[in-house]
Amino acid sequence: MTNTSMTSSDQTTPVAFLDLAALHAPLREQLDKAWNDTLTNSAFIGGSAIGMFEQEWAEYCGTEHCIGVANGTDALELVLAALKVGPGDEVIVPANTFVATAEAVVTVGATPVFVDVDPNTLLITAEAIAAAVTPATRAVMVVHLYGQVPDMDAIMAVSDAANLYVVEDSAQAHGATFNGRRAGTFGIAATFSFYPGKNLGALGDGGAIVTDDDKLTEEIRTLANHGRGSHLLHTHRGRNSRLDGLQAMALSIKLTELDGWNDQRRRVHARYVERLSDAVEMLKTLEGGEPVHHLEVIRVDHRDRIREGLDARGIQSGIHYALPCHKHPAFAEFDVQPLPIAEAAAARQFSLPMHPTLTVAEIDAVSNAVLELL
Ligand SMILES: *Cc1c(COP(=O)(O)O)cnc(C)c1O
């Protein structure tokens, strides 16, 4: 938070939803140097910084390969395209997610089959996957939403039994673990977004795919590079999706802070739980899981009135998400059955300020305001 003057009343303590400037301030010298070097070398596209970050991110996640791409949505689409998921194929998608997960499925021509979520975590479950499998099902998009990995032991068991590809949309879960394993290491491949507001964010758009599969890696690299089989030969109908050199440099710098930032987020979450868990519905942490709390989602009645009250006190909040995917006009065609848990959650959920530099005073100001407004 840029505001450092503490006022006597909680009601006048403004709290930002996210404060990127505060995160970048201690890294300013390194980031300035990265930008300077980029200009000096003019390595805007390509260059050694990309391979370096790819190696660092694969090592961090615990995978063989990392492929840097332009954003997290491209990453999802490239994985599905490389797996040759397309027209006639069904892909299971949790109804409660950011639309990008479903968007990638329709972009490759496949059919999203939306499933309901667990009421305690609002994440996809093994039971929902098992119930949605048909002979046409090829893949399941497991979204580690809000920074939490669902029960991957159960999910891998049902997915393997049905011979499905598991694609982990890890856009909100950089560094999260389940039973000691990092998000991104369970399925055939996992995707990350480095949108600035994510737990690890670039200075613009960026994304990556991690996998242990050599052939898939080669296929994705080809597709992301205009379908280029060799320098002058285009063997596939590809596209252009690149991570910029400057973004790779910024990500390498910021990666050194990721674990510390995630620890801070855990502390922020613990304080919110202490202050609010008796009064509002909060997300439950699964046994064996170590979430990274990308968002602090609570569920209340009269959400809009409470958000207005927070806004009047200078406290920012957000909604993730106001509608489950199948209720958006763009996906109306795939709204084929009620998904009551996701639908009820969408009407009541909203997100409190959550970022690594929140102070206890700020968390308490938010908590007091919520308690007053209930
Ligand atoms: C942010 C996000 C994406 C998309 O990432 P972009 O880099 O913005 O394209 C995909 N899935 C989820 C769950 C996200 O939160």
Side-chain angles (χ1 to χ4, degrees):
M1 178 83 240
T2 44
N3 168 44
T4 51
S5 65
M6 287 304 304
T7 49
S8 56
S9 164
D10 283 335
Q11 285 166 15
T12 53
T13 305
V15 184
F17 187 71
L18 179 68
D19 192 348
L20 291 177
L23 274 194
H24 290 148
L27 302 173
R28 187 58 189 259
E29 223 172 286
Q30 285 168 275
L31 293 170
D32 279 346
K33 185 177 179 307
W35 175 230
N36 251 304
D37 290 352
T38 303
L39 273 180
T40 303
N41 304 331
S42 287
F44 301 109
I45 303 287
S48 60
I50 293 158
M52 267 172 60
F53 173 71
E54 286 177 337
Q55 196 177 336
E56 288 164 4
W57 188 240
E59 255 165 47
Y60 180 87
C61 292
T63 57
E64 284 293 314
H65 307 286
C66 168
I67 306 126
V69 296
N71 57 66
T73 310
D74 278 8
L76 288 163
E77 192 191 324
L78 284 160
V79 168
L80 292 174
L83 291 171
K84 303 190 168 56
V85 172
D89 295 333
E90 291 177 2
V91 179
I92 297 170
V93 180
N96 186 46
T97 181
F98 181 54
V99 288
T101 320
E103 221 166 37
V105 175
V106 294
T107 306
V108 297
T111 303
V113 174
F114 293 112
V115 298
D116 216 345
V117 291
D118 174 69
N120 295 316
T121 60
L122 301 179
L123 301 176
I124 195 168
T125 64
E127 294 72 30
I129 295 167
V133 171
T134 74
T137 314
R138 292 279 316 283
V140 51
M141 310 301 270
V142 173
V143 186
H144 305 318
L145 201 70
Y146 308 137
Q148 178 162 216
V149 179
D151 181 347
M152 290 309 287
D153 295 341
I155 287 175
M156 291 312 297
V158 300
S159 304
D160 287 345
N163 210 12
L164 308 182
Y165 290 126
V166 170
V167 178
E168 299 174 64
D169 180 344
S170 313
Q172 301 189 3
H174 312 73
T177 62
F178 184 76
N179 284 344
R181 272 174 72 177
R182 282 242 153 92
T185 57
F186 297 92
I188 180 80
T191 65
F192 288 90
S193 164
F194 303 120
Y195 176 80
K198 308 288 186 181
N199 289 40
L200 179 63
L203 308 179
D205 275 315
I209 296 145
V210 297
T211 180
D212 286 335
D213 192 306
D214 301 347
K215 265 194 65 188
L216 189 65
T217 300
E218 204 182 297
E219 189 81 5
I220 291 168
R221 285 202 186 280
T222 301
L223 288 176
N225 185 21
H226 299 289
R228 201 167 252 141
S230 62
H231 182 48
L232 296 173
L233 193 70
H234 297 263
T235 50
H236 296 57
R237 290 178 190 165
R239 52 181 301 176
N240 166 22
S241 187
R242 295 187 274 244
L243 182 67
D244 291 347
L246 173 68
Q247 303 308 344
M249 279 194 220
L251 287 165
S252 287
I253 293 165
K254 292 181 71 178
L255 176 54
T256 61
E257 305 294 327
L258 178 61
D259 286 339
W261 287 336
N262 283 341
D263 282 344
Q264 286 294 109
R265 286 174 181 273
R266 291 187 183 112
R267 263 176 233 132
V268 172
H269 174 70
R271 183 74 184 180
Y272 274 129
V273 168
E274 209 177 300
R275 296 298 320 280
L276 292 175
S277 61
D278 288 341
V280 303
E281 222 174 322
M282 303 185 81
L283 297 176
K284 298 259 167 33
T285 296
L286 290 170
E287 207 178 308
E290 270 205 296
V292 292
H293 306 287
H294 175 61
L295 292 167
E296 185 64 49
V297 172
I298 65 171
R299 277 171 282 173
V300 293
D301 297 329
H302 314 296
R303 168 185 67 197
D304 296 339
R305 181 180 57 72
I306 292 171
R307 289 193 68 222
E308 277 163 30
L310 291 176
D311 193 51
R313 288 162 166 79
I315 296 168
Q316 297 178 340
S317 65
I319 303 183
H320 306 86
Y321 296 93
L323 283 177
C325 285
H326 62 293
K327 292 299 178 191
H328 284 283
F331 297 102
E333 183 186 339
F334 311 108
D335 179 8
V336 292
Q337 58 170 337
L339 300 169
I341 300 165
E343 288 164 24
R348 297 179 64 234
Q349 64 194 355
F350 80 101
S351 310
L352 299 176
M354 167 52 88
H355 54 85
T357 56
L358 274 181
T359 64
V360 173
E362 287 170 334
I363 302 162
D364 286 353
V366 175
S367 304
N368 291 344
V370 170
L371 294 170
E372 267 173 48
L373 289 161
L374 276 174

